[in-house]
Amino acid sequence: MSGKNVVLFGPPGAGKGTQAAKLRDLLAVPHISTGDMFRENIKNDTELGRTAKGYSSKGELVPDEVTIAMVKERLSRADVKGGFLLDGFPRSVPQAEALDKILAELGIKLDHVVNIAVADQEVKDRLAKRASIEGRADDADPAVIENRISTYKNQSEPCLTYYRPQNIVRDADGVGTIDEVFGRIQAFFG
Ligand code: AMP
């Protein structure tokens, strides 16, 4: 099996969370989800949580310095030595640059940026549907959904352009059943 230092990337509604759980089991590495870390902090009403909530409730990114510091601390722990699955980070080019620096300092090389590719209209449809099913606060309001999509387009998608010259982007068509999409992802690790 090829390297296990992995970023899972894709627009909101791409099914990252679902695929992350399956990929974590396949690779047997820690799943590091910045969205989950923020939600946990919001739930526990920590200072970090209160900061994060002000942004996530509007569909905006939590500022880079806050997010990068949180990820840096997490990646400094021993359990990432055998690999990691980063989910929801990086979400901006400065975060991607910071990740390269953090990993270089740790002597770790990023092996794969798995990009779950979903077209814009499909993303909108899925987020609207998820809002009605899960009642996630950041999916509930159409204006927030729009904001999350434009944030992705303007700030997050450029990460792919940043990574492509490194030849580590693996594009997986995100349309299909959970198992179909996972089959495409799994193929990168065969
Ligand atoms: P997610 O569950 O990954 O969609 O994340 C939920 C929310 O947490 C996002 O809408 C952002 O407000 C925040 N968030 C998660 N990851 C990041 C990140 N890498 N940079 C900035 N904000 C983030």
Side-chain angles (χ1 to χ4, degrees), residues 34-36 38-39 55-56 59-62 67 88-91 95 136 138 148:
T34 46
D36 285 352
F38 285 133
R39 275 185 289 277
Y55 297 93
S56 65
E60 290 169 12
L61 294 183
V62 179
T67 308
F89 185 95
R91 248 180 164 106
Q95 289 182 13
R136 246 177 71 159
D138 56 354
R148 294 182 78 212

